Amino acid sequence: ADSRASGPPLFIRWASKMSSISMKNFSDSVDFIYKKVSSLRGTSRLESMKNIDDFGDILALNDKILEETSEDLSEEDVRKYKLDPPRVIVVGLTSAGKSSLLERVVGYRIFPVLDRVCTRQPFQLSISRVKTAENESDTKGSGEEKGPETANLTFPASGKKYNLPEQSAEVRAEIAQLQRSASERVEFSKQVIRASVKSPQRDSFTFTDLPGVFMVSEMKMGGNFAESRAENSRLQKETMEIAKHYVQKPNTIVLVVISSTDWTHGMNNDPLCGHLCEWLEETRKSHDVDVYGVITKLDMQTTLSKNSPIRKVLTDTLPKDHILRGLKVKKWIPVVSNPTILRQTDRIKADEMELMAIKQCLQTCLKAKVLNQMSMGREALLKELKFALLKAIIRTQGGLRERINKFAVDVDARLLALPRRASVPEKRRIFDHRLKVLEDRLHLEIGSKGSAATNSLIMQLLVVAPKKFQKDLLECSLRGDVQREVQQILNQAALEAGGSFDSDMSFNAVSKRIIDSYQTPCLDLVTTCARIVLKALQRSSDAAFGDFKQLRNLVVRTLGLQKGVEDVKTILNKSFADQAFDPSYESPNAMFALLQRSAASKVISLLEAHRTMICFHPMWRNFDTLYEKILSRDADAKGNQGSFYSGASSSTDAAENTLQSMLGLPALAKRVKEEGLNAIRTFEKANGGSISPANRTKVRKHFARIEVMGYIIRMNLAGSIFPIIIRDIRDGLFKGVRCGLKHFEFSVVQLLRTKLLFDPKMESKVLAFMDPSSEDLEKRAEWEKKQATLRGLQLDFEKCQDRLQTLNEIFESCST
């Protein structure tokens, strides 16, 4: 009884499968055939959804999301929040018939026709159906249209509106102007031109027509053929880049338009298909891409040759490795949009004319029964694309809705942070809140709540900076005038009659030399820490007051951040007493400079104190024992109990070796040996003689004293300099600082509150700075527009939830 019983022979081969299936499951059988036979992929699957146009409201929602995310949100917003709704893009070669195809869909001749490239920018055309009492009654009636179709076309960017079809010529002129079609110099751009058509007869749908991929021009472009070839290459590259950009966007449905006249006997070195296969292959590694093919201009062919790729596509006889198979086209659909059809105002008659023109060309190469079951024409194309769009919408709407909600929350927070008009008491509360933000941000940047991330400021301050400081101290050379010192030891030894030798050289001079060597890394640590804290203060000020530009600058000046890190030499040129009693410090306007100066002054004082402090160190007071028992041992000697050179013969020896290793004594012993030998070699080479063994011992012991003194000072500095700097430069921000005889109890928050809020003159300036500027008002308007857009989309999603659920259930039932 079914008309398909006399259909293609392949249908009969599944007769045994179908005979065991009840009529209830007949739609599942049709779906099975739909998947197996490409020539039957027309309306069978769509019939299982009854009328696909019933879900026009969901398509309209998707079009609205696409339109409003394109117009009201920036590309950065769309990229950051992944607000890419499903869309249909139209790609093809120049003059493949893409614009005529869109005219066929919209029903009006609105695109310019010139003897040069017309489409130079992507053109997004949104068609939306406007419900009226008249078209509602038409829908319920016979389905025949009454009267000519009318529509309104709007360009959102300019607000220009036109009535169709009366003003079709004006629309063509406007599009030509927007596309710069009249310009002899062809320039392509990714900037989208948008237009919307509202019609009571047309269904909701949106296309994005891309500039055609440029082929070799028949006309010479430029003064010579070399310039012409270069121009061709430029244009082809630009159009390829635009096509790739859109093809690889998420949730894109690609509509490939192929002109049958371009593929009469072969692909004619089509430059697009190979690249398109490559882009799709790359994109499909991360997500699926649906591709549909449209064959145009069949009315210009009386028949298709056996070698025509069009014929092989439609008869599914393409070779296995043919490049077109790389596109993985779900359906090829012939569409005719010649001037005669486009001039026809009756849509039903236009559809009939189109089907007749297609069949006249294909009847010579396809059997009538296959031809009758093939999807063809505008109506079939729209049904396939709507079906693909609905699938994509169901797949993506959940995640898209979540991202829209997240973006809406962020927009609300951004608006809340923007300056707004407020009363004086409210401004005071806002200022106090921003001070709390500043303090909390400082804690996050360099305080107790700091991040343990590798590149965070707290890690740079507490890990990287002290590690570099210790390395710099260790790399300091303590050498002086080696020849002079050795000669002095030998002269003194000549005056002595013998006995135990203990150098009487002035070690005050040596200690000064050591301290001078260590001063540079100590002050460098002050500068390094100051720069890190300065960056934290700048970031915190931006976070707290960045939206009040003038107020932020006032805060920066009050803290002294605009001067940056002060040169340590400038600090040293001024005595500590002068700094302590400087009148400007009585109520500091430059807190950061005060903290830096306080830290530098204390570091210098500590260095000076070490000239005498080393006399009380146990290692210095027991130098002879240290030298004989540890430092003078031969590194290759064995069995010296108590030494780190010996093997661990007992648990006591192991503990001693571990302790000595922790204290760095092996490295000290190595350095003592190297410095002693270096001094002896340097002296002997310069004087051309050798030093006696007894004097060698005295020389080595002398340079051992210098290294031990340097070790003691270095270890003390490593444990004391860094805490002093941190206490003043970092902790001073929260607790204040003591500088000389003065104790400044100002924290950052207290200082700013005292200086800027408790002073009547400054308070009036601060409150004035908190008024929104013209720039702030523009930003607020921009973000309020985004807020309104997102709230509208959220509301639309809420309204369509039941419909989306219904559609989802239909797709799930089809898949099972």
Side-chain angles (χ1 to χ4, degrees):
D2 183 42
S3 61
R4 290 187 178 87
S6 60
L10 194 59
F11 181 88
I12 299 173
R13 292 205 290 268
W14 287 314
S16 59
K17 176 177 178 66
M18 294 179 60
S19 63
S20 61
I21 300 176
S22 66
M23 291 301 294
K24 179 182 178 182
N25 296 325
F26 183 72
S27 62
D28 294 337
S29 306
V30 174
D31 192 62
F32 171 77
I33 298 171
Y34 172 90
K35 295 176 181 177
K36 297 297 181 182
V37 188
S38 60
S39 62
L40 297 182
R41 292 181 201 161
T43 59
S44 302
R45 199 171 189 186
L46 303 176
E47 286 170 359
S48 67
M49 294 177 60
K50 297 181 180 179
N51 186 1
I52 196 170
D53 293 334
D54 289 345
F55 297 95
D57 55 342
I58 295 179
L59 292 172
L61 171 62
N62 186 74
D63 290 345
K64 183 177 180 181
I65 297 172
L66 181 61
E67 180 180 351
E68 296 196 357
T69 53
S70 301
E71 290 181 8
D72 300 336
L73 306 180
S74 66
E75 287 189 12
E76 182 182 354
D77 294 333
V78 173
R79 185 169 52 253
K80 179 179 178 180
Y81 292 94
K82 299 180 180 178
L83 303 179
D84 285 298
R87 76 186 72 203
V88 175
I89 64 166
V90 185
V91 298
L93 298 175
T94 52
S95 303
K98 302 187 304 303
S99 297
S100 298
L101 173 65
L102 290 188
E103 288 183 331
R104 180 76 183 93
V105 172
V106 75
Y108 305 101
R109 303 189 68 185
I110 59 174
F111 292 103
V113 178
L114 302 171
D115 58 354
R116 61 175 65 92
V117 178
C118 295
T119 306
R120 305 185 182 189
Q121 295 177 220
F123 189 88
Q124 181 176 301
L125 180 63
S126 299
I127 309 168
S128 57
R129 187 175 188 180
V130 181
K131 291 185 178 180
T132 63
E134 183 179 353
N135 77 335
E136 284 292 328
S137 62
D138 286 345
T139 303
K140 296 175 183 177
S142 62
E144 295 182 0
E145 298 181 25
K146 299 179 181 180
E149 295 184 6
T150 60
N152 296 317
L153 186 145
T154 305
F155 293 97
S158 62
K160 294 182 179 180
K161 298 182 179 181
Y162 300 90
N163 294 323
L164 298 177
E166 294 87 355
Q167 295 178 299
S168 297
E170 290 90 333
V171 172
R172 285 195 293 271
E174 178 68 17
I175 293 177
Q177 181 180 353
L178 293 172
Q179 293 278 10
R180 296 166 287 114
S181 302
S183 173
E184 294 291 339
R185 168 73 175 174
V186 180
E187 295 283 351
F188 292 100
S189 169
K190 293 179 183 177
Q191 189 69 32
V192 181
I193 299 172
R194 296 180 178 87
S196 61
V197 174
K198 293 184 178 181
S199 168
Q201 290 88 9
R202 298 292 170 173
D203 297 323
S204 298
F205 209 77
T206 297
F207 286 93
T208 302
D209 181 26
L210 304 183
V213 173
F214 207 77
M215 298 181 68
V216 177
S217 174
E218 295 180 357
M219 306 301 293
K220 185 173 70 171
M221 297 181 294
N224 53 58
F225 288 104
E227 291 179 3
S228 180
R229 184 169 58 83
E231 182 70 359
N232 259 289
S233 299
R234 178 185 70 82
L235 296 175
Q236 189 174 109
K237 181 181 178 181
E238 288 180 3
T239 51
M240 287 283 192
E241 287 176 351
I242 294 174
K244 181 179 180 181
H245 172 75
Y246 278 88
V247 166
Q248 296 189 327
K249 275 181 172 288
N251 308 320
T252 294
I253 298 170
V254 181
L255 187 62
V256 184
V257 178
I258 303 296
S259 169
S260 62
T261 57
D262 291 338
W263 283 13
T264 304
H265 300 291
M267 294 180 63
N268 297 330
N269 298 318
D270 185 331
L272 174 61
C273 283
H275 288 87
L276 191 54
C277 289
E278 179 185 345
W279 304 333
L280 290 170
E281 184 178 44
E282 181 182 341
T283 305
R284 282 167 174 154
K285 293 177 181 177
S286 58
H287 57 269
D288 291 335
V289 183
D290 287 346
V291 180
Y292 290 85
V294 171
I295 302 168
T296 62
K297 303 183 182 181
L298 278 173
D299 56 312
M300 300 176 69
Q301 304 284 327
T302 56
T303 186
L304 298 177
S305 69
K306 292 183 178 180
N307 293 327
S308 169
I310 302 295
R311 179 169 183 163
K312 294 177 181 178
V313 160
L314 294 176
T315 57
D316 198 17
T317 56
L318 281 174
K320 181 180 179 181
D321 296 328
H322 197 281
I323 192 171
L324 288 178
R325 292 202 180 272
L327 297 177
K328 297 183 180 179
V329 174
K330 288 185 174 293
K331 184 67 181 175
W332 289 95
I333 301 174
V335 175
V336 171
S337 52
N338 58 38
T340 303
I341 295 174
L342 291 176
R343 281 194 295 267
Q344 178 56 253
T345 58
D346 188 323
R347 179 153 47 106
I348 296 176
K349 290 182 180 179
D351 290 344
E352 292 174 352
M353 293 169 61
E354 179 186 27
L355 295 179
M356 184 178 298
I358 295 171
K359 290 179 179 180
Q360 284 179 349
C361 175
L362 298 182
Q363 64 186 359
T364 59
C365 56
L366 293 177
K367 294 180 179 180
K369 294 175 182 178
V370 176
L371 196 59
N372 291 334
Q373 294 168 351
M374 179 182 294
S375 295
M376 63 180 69
R378 180 192 69 90
E379 197 68 27
L381 173 64
L382 285 177
K383 282 190 176 183
E384 289 286 350
L385 293 178
K386 288 178 183 178
F387 185 78
L389 266 177
L390 289 172
K391 280 197 306 179
I393 291 169
I394 289 299
R395 186 180 68 249
T396 61
Q397 61 92 19
L400 183 61
R401 186 184 183 191
E402 289 179 3
R403 292 190 292 274
I404 287 175
N405 291 340
K406 183 180 184 305
F407 189 18
V409 171
D410 292 347
V411 168
D412 292 342
R414 184 66 180 266
L415 281 170
L416 191 63
L418 279 174
R420 56 185 175 82
R421 301 190 184 280
S423 63
V424 171
E426 192 175 3
K427 287 180 179 178
R428 290 194 182 108
R429 288 194 297 271
I430 293 173
F431 186 79
D432 275 336
H433 171 70
R434 297 305 177 91
L435 290 179
K436 184 67 169 57
V437 172
L438 173 66
E439 187 175 42
D440 291 344
R441 184 59 183 264
L442 278 174
H443 279 294
L444 285 174
E445 293 286 355
I446 54 174
S448 57
K449 300 178 182 178
S451 169
T454 304
N455 295 325
S456 65
L457 291 182
I458 188 68
M459 292 295 289
Q460 293 180 37
L461 183 65
L462 300 184
V463 177
V464 178
K467 185 176 180 180
K468 184 178 182 301
F469 172 58
Q470 293 180 5
K471 180 182 177 183
D472 292 344
L473 284 178
L474 195 60
E475 292 177 352
C476 287
S477 175
L478 306 182
R479 294 178 185 173
D481 189 341
V482 175
Q483 292 189 54
R484 179 177 174 276
E485 290 184 30
V486 173
Q487 186 62 58
Q488 188 175 356
I489 293 170
L490 297 180
N491 292 341
Q492 187 170 350
L495 298 174
E496 295 178 356
S500 177
F501 175 78
D502 192 4
S503 175
D504 292 329
M505 290 181 60
S506 173
F507 274 89
N508 284 332
V510 175
S511 64
K512 183 179 184 305
R513 186 175 78 211
I514 294 173
I515 291 171
D516 289 343
S517 297
Y518 288 157
Q519 179 173 294
T520 298
C522 289
L523 295 179
D524 285 348
L525 181 62
V526 174
T527 302
T528 299
C529 293
R531 285 176 178 156
I532 295 172
V533 172
L534 174 64
K535 187 177 291 186
L537 278 168
Q538 290 171 335
R539 289 183 181 179
S540 301
S541 299
D542 289 341
F545 300 101
D547 47 348
F548 298 104
K549 188 174 180 180
Q550 291 178 302
L551 181 56
R552 185 258 180 200
N553 293 337
L554 181 60
V555 168
V556 166
R557 290 195 302 273
T558 303
L559 297 178
L561 306 184
Q562 80 282 5
K563 296 180 180 179
V565 177
E566 192 172 5
D567 184 16
V568 179
K569 292 181 180 179
T570 305
I571 298 175
L572 297 180
N573 289 336
K574 196 171 187 180
S575 70
F576 181 67
D578 291 338
Q579 294 179 44
F581 293 100
D582 191 327
S584 64
Y585 288 172
E586 293 293 335
S587 183
N589 287 317
M591 182 179 188
F592 179 69
L594 171 66
L595 299 180
Q596 187 186 355
R597 291 173 184 176
S598 175
S601 299
K602 291 174 182 176
V603 167
I604 293 298
S605 297
L606 186 61
L607 288 170
E608 291 294 325
H610 273 80
R611 292 186 177 182
T612 55
M613 284 175 61
I614 57 101
C615 299
F616 302 100
H617 197 281
M619 290 181 67
W620 185 253
R621 297 177 66 183
N622 298 283
F623 173 76
D624 287 339
T625 303
L626 175 68
Y627 181 74
E628 292 174 6
K629 297 293 185 180
I630 297 179
L631 301 182
S632 62
R633 292 290 186 181
D634 188 350
D636 295 328
K638 301 294 182 182
N640 296 316
Q641 294 185 358
S643 161
F644 57 82
Y645 299 112
S646 61
S649 58
S650 66
S651 59
T652 303
D653 293 338
E656 258 188 61
N657 289 336
T658 301
L659 180 60
Q660 292 176 12
S661 179
M662 290 172 59
L663 294 174
L665 295 183
L668 175 61
K670 181 180 179 182
R671 188 160 177 164
V672 164
K673 180 180 179 181
E674 290 175 351
E675 290 298 319
L677 292 176
N678 176 73
I680 294 171
R681 283 196 297 267
T682 301
F683 182 82
E684 289 180 342
K685 183 177 180 180
N687 293 276
S690 61
I691 303 175
S692 66
N695 287 340
R696 281 173 175 260
T697 301
K698 295 177 181 180
V699 171
R700 283 198 294 266
K701 191 172 182 180
H702 166 78
F703 284 96
R705 282 178 179 272
I706 296 177
E707 290 301 323
V708 169
M709 182 183 292
Y711 170 86
I712 294 169
I713 297 175
R714 185 168 64 247
M715 295 297 284
N716 285 338
L717 293 177
S720 58
I721 290 289
F722 184 66
I724 288 174
I725 296 173
I726 290 298
R727 170 59 189 88
D728 278 14
I729 294 183
R730 184 193 70 168
D731 296 349
L733 298 174
F734 308 104
K735 303 176 183 179
V737 66
R738 186 179 295 277
C739 187
L741 300 178
K742 296 288 185 179
H743 185 204
F744 300 105
E745 299 179 354
F746 293 99
S747 67
V748 169
V749 171
Q750 290 171 334
L751 175 66
L752 291 176
R753 185 178 286 115
T754 302
K755 281 289 186 181
L756 302 183
L757 213 56
F758 294 168
D759 184 338
K761 291 183 179 180
M762 292 302 298
E763 184 191 30
S764 61
K765 184 179 291 188
V766 167
L767 297 180
F769 286 165
M770 294 180 71
D771 288 330
S773 63
S774 58
E775 183 181 351
D776 294 330
L777 294 176
E778 288 178 5
K779 286 183 178 179
R780 176 168 288 278
E782 176 188 347
W783 285 95
E784 284 178 346
K785 184 178 180 181
K786 292 181 181 182
Q787 184 185 56
T789 298
L790 294 169
R791 286 181 177 175
L793 293 177
Q794 288 175 312
L795 184 61
D796 290 335
F797 263 115
E798 287 294 334
K799 291 179 180 178
C800 285
Q801 278 309 294
D802 291 341
R803 301 282 290 141
L804 288 167
Q805 181 62 32
T806 301
L807 182 61
N808 188 41
E809 290 172 358
I810 291 175
F811 275 110
E812 286 182 352
S813 64
C814 287
S815 63
T816 57

